[in-house]
Amino acid sequence: MIASADFTDSPVEPFDFILFGGTGDLSVRKLLPALYFRHCADQLPEDGRIICAARSEMDSDEFRKFLEEESKQHIDADHFDDAQWQAFLDRVLYLKIDVTDQSDYAKLKDLLDGRESHVRVFYLSVAPSLFTAITDGVNEAGLITPQSRVALEKPLGRDQESADKINDDLAAVFDETQIFRIDHYLGKETVQNLMALRFGNALFEPLWRNERISDVQITIAESLGVDSRGRFYDQTGALRDMVQNHLLQLLVILTMEPPVSVDPDAVRDEKIKVLRALKPLVGRDVIENTVRGQYKGGAYESGTVPGYLDNDDIPNDSTTETFVALKAEIGSWRWEGVPFYLRTGKRMEQKQTEIIVNFKKVPHSIFETADGLSEPNQLIIRLQPNEEIRMRIYVKAWGDEIKLRPVHLNLDFNDVFQKRRMIAYERLIVDVLRGNPVLFMRRDEVSAAWAWIDPIQQAWQQFQYKPKGYRSGSMGPSAASSLISRDGFSWYEE
Ligand code: NDP
Ligand code: BG6
């Protein structure tokens, strides 16, 4: 099911959760804290083990100490309970393994023997180049049971060809129903709420089309730089890291047709239609409709931060982009003529993820506005830092004259729900343990997303389209403003 109300804390089946890359940044910052919270919610049965696997030389006790130092700090202190944390650590084991060495899988087999009836999750929080080594490794060691699942982190490959190859390799050892391709944005409450908003209310559907909507903006701005992920990031860039997955998934959920049910394939069948309807950006069109940027160092927040090229892991002539803005269009009856402006970047003014839906103006205005300006209705769906949905409408300002003033109808999720907001990974990990694929990407979705992204990457190379520098703490290069202003629009600002 989709809506968060359907998520229950009832315990999952006994399991072994094998976390490849257990010492890595993602595991330490997000996955293990997410598992801790599910432990606190009594959702993990007593016989549920978390086996963290990596090459570092450690035993389980040393690994628990490592988590004490490296992972605990990423758990919100207001929701931390030491007794629960200690009990959580008791279910964590560490396995030293080199996933490229087949003989090492015997050690994993020893740990798993006799537990074939348990749900078994192989969670691949490692570089995509290791995915096939792991799936082949567990297969050859005879570790894949009917109750097994594999979860893979994004980005799946670096283009359509490599993604298809990974998917072929996966298909050789797992059934598609056992494969969970993660895009953690789909685990975020507001993203699921976007579906609830659109398909749980009759109000929006008649407005949700080109006759009523003038343009849409989707922004994922981050305040963080690439920091310790420099090596990975320089091979990847913002287009592959954020646009191919998170931004396109937001676009797709915002624009897909109503599915006939919440059945996973019913939802994913609608999502793929949007990806296929995206008008290709090819050749010169790419240069016209995309902007690349790379952050520079300087004063930021309370101190000074280094620029992208100052990072020791990054070559000082790197042309990898840390910012992308682009204009996308969907060729369909519903969306023809509506521009979708997408942008994402590191070291921007603040962490902010939001979707702005601008409606068309009234066909004939009979009122004056109090400030002489008349902006159209606007729906603001904010995912981060706070989750809120706001609608700008016009009312008559109090007084003798009939003059209109814009006001916001405001739904702040913190006020409504007043409970801890789950980390996106909590929901996703439980869905993997339960075998519910609705919030995961199907093979054809991943491939279709790359098919749209690849020509952009190719044109950047062909035309040697270098990123423009932007100041840390800004909203990206000025060319991103020109991209939208030439169509008569401007990026939303508070
Ligand atoms: P890290 O580089 O921090 O971690 C990689 C992990 O892989 C480490 O635990 C490393 O451990 C292990 N590893 C590397 N080589 C081997 C090997 N031969 N055998 C066994 N283990 C190995 O990466 P991240 O945690 O940042 O990212 C992991 C995946 O998650 C990537 O696909 C990334 O794209 C994706 N991702 C990351 C996000 C993030 O915020 N970090 C967000 C979304 C996705 P050791 O060196 O001890 O072997
Ligand atoms: C990840 C990217 O997928 O998403 C990171 O690899 C990025 O580069 C992160 O920082 C952003 O996620 P969130 O949930 O913090 O918006």
Side-chain angles (χ1 to χ4, degrees), residues 120-136:
R120 200 171 273 183
V121 173
F122 301 107
Y123 196 108
L124 278 42
S125 181
V126 293
S129 55
L130 294 175
F131 288 172
T132 301
I134 298 177
T135 52
D136 284 353

Side-chain angles (χ1 to χ4, degrees), residues 232-297:
F232 156 81
Y233 197 87
D234 201 54
Q235 299 297 314
T236 309
L239 186 71
R240 293 188 179 102
D241 188 41
M242 300 294 288
V243 183
Q244 188 270 348
N245 34 78
H246 305 326
L247 267 170
L248 285 187
Q249 286 293 324
L250 292 181
L251 173 67
V252 159
I253 289 173
L254 191 78
T255 56
M256 70 196 215
E257 294 299 317
V260 291
S261 72
V262 292
D263 174 74
D265 276 330
V267 175
R268 298 188 293 182
D269 285 347
E270 295 306 333
K271 286 171 69 192
I272 184 112
K273 285 183 201 160
V274 179
L275 289 168
R276 289 186 179 141
L278 278 171
K279 294 190 185 173
L281 283 176
V282 184
R284 274 265 154 222
D285 276 356
V286 172
I287 309 306
E288 295 285 303
N289 291 294
T290 66
V291 174
R292 299 177 81 200
Q294 192 184 70
Y295 66 81
K296 296 186 193 163

Side-chain angles (χ1 to χ4, degrees), residues 26 29-30 153-155 183-185 188 220-222 224-225 229 232-233 241-242 245-246 346 351 353 384 424-425:
L26 182 67
R29 280 193 308 113
K30 299 277 169 138
E153 270 300 336
K154 58 136 284 266
D183 181 319
H184 76 276
Y185 267 60
K188 290 184 190 275
I220 306 182
E222 295 189 78
L224 289 177
R229 297 176 73 212
F232 156 81
Y233 197 87
D241 188 41
M242 300 294 288
N245 34 78
H246 305 326
K346 301 250 180 230
K351 185 168 177 72
T353 304
Q384 294 177 132
Y425 280 103

